[in-house]
Amino acid sequence: MDIDKRKFLKVIGITSALWVGSRFTGGLSSVFGIGDTLDKKALADAGFEISKTLPDPKALIGKQWAVAIDLRQFKTPDDYKKCINVCDKIHNIPDIHTKQDVKWIWEEPYDNAFPEQHNNYMEGQLKDKSVILMCNQCEFPPCVRVCPTGATFKRHDGIVMMDYHRCIGCRYCMAGCPYGSRSFNFRDPRPFIKKIDPDYPTRTKGVVEKCDFCAERLDKGLMPACVEASKGAMVFGDIKDPNSDVRRILSNNFSIRRKPELGTQPNVFYII
Amino acid sequence: MYNSGKIITGLIIFVGLVTLPFWYSIGKANIKPDPSLNTPVINQMKVKHCIESKQFMIDNHMELLNEWRNAVVRDNKTIYVSTTGQYFTMSLEDTCFHCHSNEKQFCNQCHSYVNIQPYCWECHVKPAEEIANGH
Amino acid sequence: MIEKAFYGSKKYWIWILFLLAFLGLCFHFYLMQLNQGLTITGMSRNVSWGLYIAQFTYLVGVAASAVMLVIPYYLHHYKAFSRMIILGEFMAIAAVTMCMLFIFVDLGQPMRVMNVILHPQLHSVMFWDMTVLSGYLVLNLLIGWTTLESERKNVAPPSWVKPLIYLSVVWAISIHTVTAFLYAGLPGRPYWLSAIMAARFLAGAFCAGPAILLLLVFLVQKFVKYRVGEESIQTLSKIVTYAMSANVFFLLLEIFTAFYSRIPEDMNAFRYLFVGLDGHTTLVPYMWVSAGLAIVSLAILIPPQLRNNTKLLTVALIALVISTWIDKGFSLIAAGFVPNPFDRVTEYLPTFPEIMIVLGVYTIGILILTILWKVAISVKEKTTA
């Protein structure tokens, strides 16, 4: 009789406490024997506090990151490929060959990258030239303005960042971006990644993604991967710092930006 | 009583539905989860200690991970200072899985038991050991 | 009052069962989408919104159009609408519900939909659209249900309803204005970047919404004894006529600005729609059908002697609904993404599963509408008999 009763209580206790309750009662301590509960007050008295977080002392600090792409130095197909491939590889970009593809950094012919600059009588070399495209990391990004959840936002250092945990996949940012810099995961990307780099998460189906200037590398003190791979053809730095490399190259060379008339203040500059 | 047949049938269905969780788990073995700490990295540790106390981690690892991702993704903070003053990189891959490289014997033990399916693995890459085994 | 929905003829129940069965079929396709992702739709990296968002847009208009009954009836005490008004309010409820469902089925991560409330972004038009739509749903439920209940009990509606009704007039305008702002505020989409977008939306809504209402009334009158009254039909079709004229006028304004200025980016979407761009002509036939039907509907609606003939009126209304649907419920969204930021054309056509999911949402709307109208008409038949 006693044993039966105990068994019954166990069934009730475990099923109700765990099957239903554990998500709401906040804590898995009940798993380790019913009755053991955590003494949170004691923990607090012992001086415990969560969320002491710091930036990495090695992290690169800037007010608004920008990149100047010296197109004159992109001569062979390999000059483009090395920048694009390294990004695809370290960020686990799926290689999808349909209209539902995913791109962070890619090439477009000059005419398509700058359609409003179209000129029937243009110098041949530039006309046929490929241009490296990526997110412009706008100073006033329309994608951030329209995002209904704050899943895309502007970081303190100007990077237009994606929070893949928060994105609901409404794709309003894709309608908002005038540069076509955003991609949606119409499906699970994993089957389309040749070799998954375990150091960087893949994305899941149903979220939007884009280039984030290698925020994860900047936070460790490293340059964006494409900049590093370009061997000087791309110059990266803080556009608000008058002594930065990017400011130096921009002040000495004529540069253009994509759709500057929209007032988004893109931070990818092209030296042609 | 009018419509007694309908009322009683309705009551039976209602009680059946409400108690469904109990019926669901009757006959299922209630094996106590036993997360394993048997990984190469942990075995080499002199003092086996997670970034915070065991009890705290058991209870709050999900909140902690949530704070971590907010700090890393939204505030460019990557270092966590534990209550004992130690520094850790806030990274599931580089920190958590560095020691807990046994997802099946560690994470899944409790998660399966309480029937929750965290979606970490849809994006984050499982510990190396698991990948090597073809999962 | 809801009990009225549980007593009905055999036909009523067969209809409900049919809707439920069809809904089950459609739901299967939604599960497929949940499982595989939005890859089962015809949407792409360049055309990232499609039929779902277009239906949402169209139905916000249908919902807002209830105001075309509310203004004459409550503000001008136009009593001829007394037998029609509740049908309009209840149609708005069904329409708003469908709007919300269309947003929901469009989400890549539907489980996270509450993030919109958990992390509200006041600078996002979508946040405000959600706010005004939910508010409109609540307003219509409160107003419609309360006034009907009072009517059943043969008492005057409680005094707190009046201010809500006045609020609902402004609110109805707001839902479609805010929905237009979703598109009209985007810098890189010239087809949408137009100050008269909201006005165009409202004009389109105020013709299409009442047209659908009238067609549904004609249909339901075949099955029930309840009659809305000839005068109300004539008045509403007059409203439809004015609104459709304004709708076509606004479209012509857009075309003038684009083609007289000859700014390529402003012309491109219209070119793509009506003659094709860079050899892409998928939507061209649809657009000419839409234009042709618009002319047909106006040709019947404008002369009173044609408009007052119920058979011709029905033809005109059907033509109008199809015409405005092609324009606003389909091409408006697809063409907004043409050409893409790289001056290329990516075409869009919905896939079969996508269409089934759309039909599923419409089925839910029809189910809600059936139940609400059943209640309304049952009450009305008793009180006005």
Side-chain angles (χ1 to χ4, degrees):
Chain A
M1 185 67 192
D2 247 349
I3 293 166
D4 282 350
K5 199 166 141 193
R6 198 182 294 160
K7 238 186 195 167
F8 176 68
L9 283 175
K10 218 173 175 181
V11 171
I12 300 269
I14 290 171
T15 47
S16 57
L18 302 182
W19 202 84
V20 186
S22 66
R23 292 166 200 215
F24 308 107
T25 51
L28 290 176
S29 66
S30 49
V31 170
F32 294 84
I34 292 163
D36 302 353
T37 48
L38 173 66
D39 192 351
K40 283 194 178 146
K41 197 180 166 295
L43 216 58
D45 291 345
F48 180 84
E49 53 179 275
I50 318 181
S51 77
K52 267 199 204 155
T53 54
L54 302 168
D56 191 323
K58 293 198 298 291
L60 299 180
I61 313 274
K63 285 200 180 77
Q64 173 65 64
W65 296 120
V67 70
I69 302 178
D70 189 348
L71 286 175
R72 297 168 302 190
Q73 294 193 44
F74 284 84
K75 289 183 184 114
T76 65
D78 188 54
D79 293 336
Y80 297 88
K81 286 275 162 348
K82 66 185 180 198
C83 300
I84 296 169
N85 289 351
V86 66
C87 174
D88 287 354
K89 195 168 141 291
I90 67 163
H91 296 124
N92 292 321
I93 314 279
D95 188 21
I96 300 172
H97 295 279
T98 67
K99 286 195 285 185
Q100 299 176 340
D101 55 340
V102 175
K103 296 187 273 201
W104 283 27
I105 173 169
W106 72 103
E107 295 174 62
E108 287 282 352
Y110 180 85
D111 246 7
N112 298 96
F114 299 96
E116 48 291 297
Q117 299 280 338
H118 176 79
N119 175 347
N120 287 339
Y121 314 104
M122 196 166 36
E123 180 225 346
Q125 219 187 343
L126 188 59
K127 200 173 160 112
D128 300 329
K129 183 134 193 151
S130 267
V131 176
I132 288 247
L133 298 187
M134 56 206 275
C135 170
N136 276 299
Q137 310 291 348
C138 304
E139 193 170 347
F140 306 108
C143 56
V144 171
R145 191 154 62 234
V146 300
C147 177
T149 62
T152 194
F153 60 96
K154 214 166 155 57
R155 240 166 58 144
H156 314 303
D157 55 359
I159 292 182
V160 177
M161 193 68 177
M162 271 303 299
D163 185 339
Y164 302 117
H165 291 87
R166 196 182 281 186
C167 176
I168 60 172
C170 71
R171 310 188 296 296
Y172 197 10
C173 55
M174 295 177 77
C177 175
Y179 302 105
S181 295
R182 292 178 160 267
S183 308
F184 180 66
N185 285 281
F186 283 91
R187 57 170 81 195
D188 177 14
R190 286 209 172 165
F192 300 90
I193 305 170
K194 272 177 217 115
K195 190 170 175 298
I196 293 179
D197 186 336
D199 291 335
Y200 198 80
T202 66
R203 268 68 63 198
T204 183
K205 69 166 187 281
V207 298
V208 173
E209 62 179 84
K210 68 169 197 78
C211 156
D212 60 5
F213 257 173
C214 286
E216 81 285 1
R217 288 171 58 91
L218 298 177
D219 291 345
K220 280 189 246 171
L222 299 167
M223 281 276 163
C226 56
V227 172
E228 196 178 273
S230 76
K231 302 254 162 56
M234 292 167 81
V235 177
F236 182 86
D238 184 359
I239 197 84
K240 304 278 178 187
D241 172 6
N243 300 316
S244 65
D245 290 347
V246 71
R247 277 287 285 274
R248 203 166 304 129
I249 190 168
L250 288 177
S251 58
N252 293 325
N253 295 278
F254 175 71
S255 62
I256 57 171
R257 291 184 291 176
R258 295 178 64 206
K259 301 186 200 293
E261 72 278 10
L262 299 180
T264 60
Q265 297 297 347
N267 283 298
V268 176
F269 296 78
Y270 296 91
I271 296 166
I272 51 172
Chain B
M1 189 157 71
Y2 297 108
N3 293 328
S4 57
K6 279 182 194 166
I7 291 170
I8 289 166
T9 320
L11 275 176
I12 290 172
I13 293 173
F14 175 74
V15 171
L17 280 176
V18 166
T19 53
L20 192 68
F22 305 114
W23 305 117
Y24 184 80
S25 51
I26 273 179
K28 281 191 186 166
N30 282 313
I31 304 161
K32 217 173 156 181
D34 182 22
S36 161
L37 297 177
N38 180 20
T39 68
V41 178
I42 298 177
N43 285 339
Q44 278 176 15
M45 292 168 86
K46 281 195 188 113
V47 186
K48 295 192 194 334
H49 195 269
C50 199
I51 57 164
E52 295 291 351
S53 76
K54 179 180 171 185
Q55 196 57 58
F56 177 81
M57 293 310 291
I58 290 167
D59 244 33
N60 300 301
H61 63 277
M62 52 304 244
E63 281 91 351
L64 186 79
L65 286 173
N66 196 37
E67 289 217 11
W68 277 25
R69 72 163 196 87
N70 276 332
V72 173
V73 175
R74 305 188 77 90
D75 303 324
N76 14 343
K77 290 178 176 167
T78 54
I79 308 283
Y80 176 74
V81 189
S82 78
T83 36
T84 54
Q86 282 175 291
Y87 290 75
F88 297 95
T89 304
M90 291 188 280
S91 163
L92 201 59
E93 281 92 352
D94 295 347
T95 305
C96 304
F97 302 161
H98 178 66
C99 296
H100 298 291
S101 53
N102 52 343
E103 180 228 355
K104 270 198 179 154
Q105 292 80 36
F106 188 73
C107 314
N108 290 359
Q109 284 285 314
C110 302
H111 293 162
S112 308
Y113 185 71
V114 296
N115 193 22
I116 58 163
Q117 287 91 29
Y119 54 83
C120 311
W121 318 118
E122 284 180 26
C123 298
H124 291 275
V125 182
K126 285 185 184 180
E129 181 193 82
E130 301 285 325
I131 288 180
N133 293 338
H135 289 281
Chain C
M1 215 157 54
I2 189 74
E3 76 279 358
K4 304 271 186 212
F6 297 107
Y7 297 96
S9 63
K10 210 169 179 182
K11 269 187 196 157
Y12 171 73
W13 284 111
I14 290 173
W15 173 238
I16 297 275
L17 282 178
F18 165 76
L19 287 176
L20 286 173
F22 187 68
L23 183 60
L25 179 70
C26 298
F27 192 68
H28 162 79
F29 288 94
Y30 182 63
L31 289 180
M32 188 171 138
Q33 181 182 296
L34 267 187
N35 193 24
Q36 297 177 28
L38 285 152
T39 186
I40 64 156
T41 69
M43 288 183 269
S44 58
R45 192 178 189 275
N46 287 318
V47 187
S48 46
W49 278 342
L51 204 55
Y52 300 148
I53 294 296
Q55 298 323 290
F56 154 77
T57 311
Y58 193 76
L59 288 167
V60 173
V62 174
S65 75
V67 80
M68 288 292 101
L69 295 160
V70 172
I71 291 176
Y73 183 72
Y74 286 110
L75 265 54
H76 300 284
H77 306 287
Y78 180 67
K79 289 299 162 204
F81 278 164
S82 66
R83 297 165 68 85
M84 184 96 95
I85 182 114
I86 188 72
L87 301 181
E89 284 163 350
F90 279 177
M91 188 174 82
I93 292 170
V96 178
T97 313
M98 285 189 273
C99 290
M100 290 172 159
L101 287 171
F102 274 119
I103 292 282
F104 188 78
V105 298
D106 188 65
L107 295 181
Q109 286 281 341
M111 305 298 271
R112 301 182 187 167
V113 64
M114 292 310 280
N115 280 1
V116 180
I117 294 158
L118 291 173
H119 308 283
Q121 305 291 312
L122 302 190
H123 48 69
S124 172
V125 182
M126 201 174 273
F127 170 79
W128 292 107
D129 212 29
M130 182 213 68
T131 311
V132 290
L133 280 175
S134 334
Y136 193 63
L137 181 67
V138 172
L139 274 179
N140 271 284
L141 269 172
L142 269 177
I143 295 167
W145 203 259
T146 314
T147 50
L148 190 67
E149 185 96 66
S150 313
E151 195 169 330
R152 189 174 74 130
K153 291 176 182 156
N154 213 3
V155 293
S159 55
W160 53 263
V161 180
K162 255 284 142 69
L164 287 187
I165 289 168
Y166 296 143
L167 180 64
S168 83
V169 171
V170 188
W171 209 284
I173 309 289
S174 85
I175 62 168
H176 219 22
T177 305
V178 176
T179 303
F181 286 176
L182 278 179
Y183 310 105
L186 303 179
R189 310 287 172 189
Y191 185 48
W192 295 339
L193 189 71
S194 159
I196 62 162
M197 190 61 119
R200 250 183 96 190
F201 270 25
L202 285 165
F206 293 160
C207 61
I212 293 172
L213 179 65
L214 281 175
L215 288 171
L216 288 171
V217 164
F218 294 159
L219 186 73
V220 168
Q221 283 187 353
K222 287 193 192 302
F223 298 99
V224 299
K225 284 193 225 85
Y226 184 69
R227 292 291 172 267
V228 294
E230 200 53 38
E231 191 191 330
S232 68
I233 293 172
Q234 283 181 13
T235 308
L236 200 54
S237 51
K238 237 177 263 167
I239 292 173
V240 170
T241 310
Y242 279 111
M244 182 61 177
S245 309
N247 185 35
V248 172
F249 177 62
F250 288 155
L251 179 71
L252 294 174
L253 293 184
E254 295 268 29
I255 290 175
F256 170 81
T257 305
F259 285 85
Y260 195 79
S261 69
R262 301 213 41 89
I263 296 173
E265 61 178 26
D266 290 345
M267 293 189 290
N268 277 336
F270 286 107
R271 274 199 180 136
Y272 168 65
L273 288 174
F274 287 99
V275 293
L277 196 65
D278 300 342
H280 298 279
T281 55
T282 309
L283 295 190
V284 172
Y286 296 96
M287 288 317 290
W288 285 107
V289 168
S290 170
L293 289 176
I295 293 167
V296 168
S297 71
L298 280 180
I300 299 174
L301 285 171
I302 291 172
Q305 57 271 42
L306 298 184
R307 183 176 68 229
N308 290 340
N309 174 325
T310 310
K311 279 219 175 93
L312 277 176
L313 177 64
T314 311
V315 173
L317 295 176
I318 292 173
L320 186 150
V321 171
I322 297 172
S323 169
T324 52
W325 185 85
I326 292 174
D327 175 35
K328 195 168 152 195
F330 183 54
S331 72
L332 175 94
I333 301 303
F337 291 102
V338 172
N340 72 7
F342 316 105
D343 209 23
R344 291 206 185 88
V345 179
T346 308
E347 295 209 90
Y348 163 79
L349 272 182
T351 59
F352 177 70
E354 195 176 358
I355 292 170
M356 288 305 284
I357 292 169
V358 166
L359 291 179
V361 175
Y362 272 111
T363 309
I364 294 175
I366 295 169
L367 197 64
I368 293 171
L369 188 74
T370 305
I371 291 167
L372 289 176
W373 277 24
K374 172 78 174 60
V375 171
I377 291 172
S378 305
V379 169
K380 284 274 190 179
E381 272 180 339
K382 271 221 176 104
T383 53
T384 52

